[in-house]
Amino acid sequence: MTAVAPDQLTGTALRFPQGFRWGAATASYQIEGAASDDGRTPSIWDTFSRTPGKVFEGHTGDVACDHYHRYRDDVAIMAELGLGTYRFSVAWPRIKPDGSGPVNGRGLDFYDRLVDELLAKGISPMATLYHWDLPQVLEDRGGWTNRDTAYYFADLAAAMVAKLGDRVATWTTLNEPWCSAFLGYASGIHAPGRQDAKASFEALHHLLLAHGLGVRALRAGGAREVSLTLNMTSVRPLNPADPHDQAAARHIDGLQNRIFLDPVLRGYYPDDMRALFDRFGAAHVIKPGDDAVIASPIDLLGVNYYQPALVRAKIGATAGLTNPGSEGIEEVRQPHPVTDMDWPVDPSGLYELLMRLATDYPDTPLMITENGAAYADVVEDGRVHDTDRIGFLEGHLRAVHAALSEGADLRGYLAWSLMDNYEWGYGYGKRFGIVRVDYDTQRRTVKDSARWYAEVIGRNGLE
Ligand code: IFM
């Protein structure tokens, strides 16, 4: 058993490096609402959420947290908490209602106002260009399986940096392309809801191409800091001494982590993952020169971490839809407490992931762009005493600190999420916020976790 580093022990006071960036994150479809205001057209999530049986109780993002109209109040809460960075995403169908072509000035103006409001409160805006709300008109033309989508994305990037590049310091091309490709096109539990392994690899490649083209468009527009955010995890073999379990873990690690990390940071798909493109008939989408575009240098890698994975080899196990080509591999339940998502809570997975990134992909500064937990909060006397969430955050911040102490180049930490919001297929049924949203009244309540987080930010450390 590995010894626990002092950093990871509750009660040990810790300080983060000077200049460490603290903040919180959200995403457009999850909070904005205003689904048809000012020229916005439907995204794939508007369509998906209206498809019977796809989302918990048929919830949609039509109103969500009504942030589109309440952004000033929300920024005031961020300021009250002392956030230095706010990571938000841009709704493509607001900016380009036809997916491609002319920019919709009224849509762009929303982000212009938001950025000015943030800056006025001393909060640094971090803009993600794609957090899953593809214009439906583009899905109608094949979505991410269509190579043109990558070029349209680059046009979006150019339009955004032209308008906001003077004020937005940090840009992120994509959020979690793993979800877009495998949940969107393989298992179909996310929009657009397709179940087609071949399409998922085609989509994956075009997403990475979009990332590379987006990086170039952002740089051409003068962007100062350019990044990509991946949802990664530590994939562990049930029996670390068993070569079959090791191979199983390696395969899932390939699908979850290396299929993105290697092309972006090393310039090529790893052989075992390239073989899956061949196996599923998707290799035709990889064109000469794409590798160089995809590997366009980035300044920062965003790490979204929630839970580790534990797998084993099992003869006869069928491949889960989400992990195409993973026959003979079974995911194993882990002996940890779980969140309301039924996700195991294990901060050591984050430490392990950060150390692995620092070793295998050195010279890439890292930032935790999402980390947090859903719990079934209750309101008591107007307060939310979410001690579980505080425990989750503290454990993970200790893991972050341990990685920092051992040399990981980690620049900041953003909690997911600033406020309760639309949790995709779970609708409003899961609450990840450090600020509560009452969806009937749109009233915000600062949870105990947010107060605790504000103290952490204030002292730049843990007690
Ligand atoms: O809510 C999501 C977010 O949109 C992307 N990362 C994971 C979060 C929790 O599921």
Side-chain angles (χ1 to χ4, degrees):
M1 199 163 140
T2 23
V4 180
D7 290 7
Q8 289 167 292
L9 291 175
T10 312
T12 309
L14 303 174
R15 290 294 173 268
F16 286 79
Q18 253 199 338
F20 192 76
R21 288 145 74 173
W22 295 101
T26 64
S28 46
Y29 190 74
Q30 294 182 274
I31 63 164
E32 285 179 1
S36 35
D37 280 33
D38 298 331
R40 180 188 180 280
T41 54
S43 74
I44 53 176
W45 271 96
D46 294 273
T47 308
F48 189 73
S49 60
R50 284 178 165 70
T51 309
K54 296 297 183 190
V55 172
F56 175 69
E57 291 187 354
H59 292 174
T60 73
D62 286 2
V63 179
C65 308
D66 196 30
H67 172 76
Y68 191 80
H69 300 116
R70 295 167 193 264
Y71 71 92
R72 277 198 190 85
D73 297 342
D74 292 333
V75 173
I77 294 173
M78 296 178 213
E80 195 184 307
L81 298 177
L83 305 190
T85 298
Y86 173 55
R87 172 177 180 248
F88 62 93
S89 81
V90 170
W92 187 338
R94 283 195 201 288
I95 309 301
K96 299 231 175 190
D98 298 325
S100 59
V103 166
N104 169 30
R106 289 183 299 160
L108 201 48
D109 284 348
F110 167 66
Y111 298 102
D112 194 53
R113 293 194 295 276
L114 172 65
V115 163
D116 282 347
E117 189 68 21
L118 288 163
L119 292 173
K121 294 274 192 298
I123 300 166
S124 179
M126 182 168 178
T128 298
L129 293 170
Y130 185 69
H131 196 131
W132 311 350
D133 38 3
L134 187 74
Q136 180 61 43
V137 284
L138 292 186
E139 178 58 27
D140 296 342
R141 291 187 241 153
W144 286 109
T145 65
N146 182 346
R147 189 174 172 94
D148 292 346
T149 302
Y151 290 87
Y152 297 147
F153 174 79
D155 295 342
L156 172 78
M160 293 308 302
V161 74
K163 179 77 172 178
L164 300 178
D166 56 337
R167 285 158 291 152
V168 169
T170 309
W171 294 88
T172 304
T173 53
L174 310 177
N175 178 74
E176 303 184 0
W178 179 89
C179 295
S180 302
F182 292 124
L183 301 184
Y185 291 84
S187 68
I189 64 169
H190 274 193
R194 289 165 67 175
Q195 289 189 340
D196 176 351
K198 174 176 187 251
S200 71
F201 285 98
E202 292 171 345
L204 187 151
H205 182 70
H206 293 144
L207 281 152
L208 287 178
L209 182 65
H211 158 73
L213 294 167
V215 169
R216 292 183 174 191
L218 289 167
R219 296 248 187 254
R224 279 167 277 165
E225 189 174 49
V226 178
S227 64
L228 166 70
T229 278
L230 300 175
N231 54 317
M232 290 175 284
T233 194
S234 298
V235 186
R236 297 156 167 170
L238 180 64
N239 177 356
D242 179 341
H244 300 293
D245 285 5
Q246 286 169 9
R250 175 104 187 127
H251 182 83
I252 299 300
D253 175 66
L255 283 167
Q256 182 78 49
N257 303 318
R258 290 182 291 112
I259 199 168
F260 300 100
L261 290 167
D262 283 14
V264 171
L265 299 175
R266 293 180 172 163
Y268 49 84
Y269 287 110
D271 289 345
D272 56 339
M273 294 295 112
R274 181 64 174 71
L276 289 178
F277 279 92
D278 290 326
R279 177 179 158 188
F280 288 103
H284 67 101
V285 298
I286 306 174
K287 307 284 186 208
D290 285 0
D291 49 357
V293 175
I294 292 170
S296 301
I298 54 174
D299 305 304
L300 192 69
L301 177 68
V303 178
N304 289 0
Y305 172 83
Y306 290 90
Q307 54 174 328
L310 186 64
V311 300
R312 68 163 172 162
K314 188 182 175 196
I315 294 167
T318 47
L321 283 179
T322 307
N323 290 310
S326 60
E327 296 81 6
I329 299 176
E330 185 185 64
E331 193 156 348
V332 180
R333 194 152 180 102
Q334 302 177 50
H336 300 292
V338 292
T339 67
D340 199 31
M341 298 291 283
D342 205 24
W343 293 350
V345 178
D346 181 5
S348 73
L350 176 56
Y351 166 78
E352 214 172 288
L353 172 65
L354 293 172
M355 295 315 295
R356 183 263 181 106
L357 291 172
T359 307
D360 291 357
Y361 305 91
D363 308 322
T364 306
L366 306 171
M367 182 164 182
I368 308 293
T369 40
E370 283 184 30
N371 177 236
Y375 286 107
D377 301 318
V378 281
V379 185
E380 285 171 68
D381 302 329
R383 300 277 295 259
V384 179
H385 303 301
D386 52 341
T387 45
D388 286 347
R389 187 172 290 104
I390 294 175
F392 182 98
L393 294 173
E394 171 163 6
H396 286 79
L397 282 173
R398 287 185 178 278
V400 164
H401 195 276
L404 269 165
S405 315
E406 290 180 37
D409 182 2
L410 194 58
R411 305 290 171 92
Y413 177 94
L414 309 179
W416 183 269
S417 176
L418 173 70
M419 56 187 152
D420 294 337
N421 58 49
Y422 182 81
E423 179 53 24
W424 308 110
Y426 298 88
Y428 299 101
K430 303 291 174 194
R431 294 181 176 274
F432 273 91
I434 56 172
V435 174
R436 181 182 175 86
V437 176
D438 177 327
Y439 297 110
D440 293 329
T441 61
Q442 289 297 344
R443 190 189 148 96
R444 275 56 165 156
T445 302
V446 173
K447 302 182 191 178
D448 286 1
S449 57
R451 294 177 205 280
W452 175 87
Y453 190 46
E455 285 172 17
V456 171
I457 296 172
R459 70 168 92 87
N460 196 33
L462 297 164
E463 289 298 288

